[in-house]
Amino acid sequence: SLAKADFQCTGLEVSEYASKVASETHGLNVVTGSLEKTEFADSQFDAVTMWDIIEHIIDPVQALKEVSRILKPAGYLFVSTDDASHWLPRFLSRKWWALGAPYHVFHFSKKALDHAAAVAGFEKPIYLKDPRKYTVSEIVTHFGVSYGSTFLKGLARILEKMLIGKISINIARPE
């Protein structure tokens, strides 16, 4: 809805219900379907965004091939997904929040995403890093949630009220 002020937008949604809500409630142009095989014309779009989508797709390489087909020759594909080779998922191991089976079907490292994109006909991706500032109390809260630790969650609430809990640290997210 933010982009439609400046762009002609089309959404693709697998859920018929969600498509209906987006269209009827929010006035968005959304069609129901699967990204692996769409009804869109060849070279129809200037850009395709897949924010936190690719990990949910049953055949992500086929989806990327379909995106390649529907993008204009100088079009852009923007993908956001967790990087399974980042230190944080490796540190959290089985407690990593992105291991949301059965919702997350695939997990990509940068190398795996490069390979999938190349097989689908894309050039080497450009990775953008956008470190985010987290307070010490937010970090402790996050680990408390990931590990299901009431101790860490309680500690985070205490730190929130203290100067040390308000200190911000730049962290490159595992995306």
Side-chain angles (χ1 to χ4, degrees):
S1 62
L2 293 172
K4 76 178 188 175
D6 299 305
F7 301 96
Q8 183 181 14
C9 300
T10 301
L12 179 66
E13 170 59 51
V14 296
S15 164
E16 196 171 312
Y17 171 77
S19 292
K20 186 176 179 181
V21 169
S23 297
E24 294 177 5
T25 305
H26 302 288
L28 302 173
N29 179 20
V30 178
V31 297
T32 304
S34 165
L35 190 53
E36 289 95 332
K37 179 151 178 44
T38 71
E39 303 282 326
F40 300 125
D42 292 355
S43 303
Q44 182 172 342
F45 297 102
D46 293 308
V48 171
T49 58
M50 296 172 63
W51 302 137
D52 299 309
I53 298 296
I54 198 165
E55 63 271 18
H56 299 275
I57 297 174
I58 292 170
D59 190 344
V61 173
Q62 178 55 41
L64 290 171
K65 287 178 180 178
E66 183 67 1
V67 169
S68 180
R69 183 188 70 77
I70 64 175
L71 271 176
K72 291 179 180 175
Y76 293 94
L77 167 61
F78 298 95
V79 177
S80 174
T81 190
D82 285 315
D83 177 5
S85 66
H86 188 275
W87 69 266
L88 186 58
R90 289 185 291 141
F91 176 76
L92 290 173
S93 187
R94 291 179 305 183
K95 298 287 186 175
W96 181 35
W97 58 87
L99 294 177
Y103 305 109
H104 291 173
V105 183
F106 284 93
H107 297 283
F108 291 90
S109 64
K110 286 180 182 177
K111 186 176 180 179
L113 188 57
D114 283 352
H115 180 71
V119 168
F122 287 96
E123 294 178 18
K124 183 168 175 49
I126 298 170
Y127 289 96
L128 305 176
K129 294 202 181 232
D130 187 20
R132 180 174 171 226
K133 286 187 182 238
Y134 292 89
T135 65
V136 170
S137 62
E138 286 175 317
I139 293 167
V140 174
T141 297
H142 197 75
F143 282 105
V145 170
S146 292
Y147 283 108
S149 169
T150 53
F151 170 76
L152 288 175
K153 289 188 263 185
L155 177 61
R157 283 192 295 277
I158 292 167
L159 290 172
E160 217 169 62
K161 299 171 187 162
M162 301 171 68
L163 183 59
I164 192 169
K166 297 177 185 344
I167 295 172
S168 291
I169 302 167
N170 279 331
I171 296 179
R173 295 172 48 92
E175 295 180 314

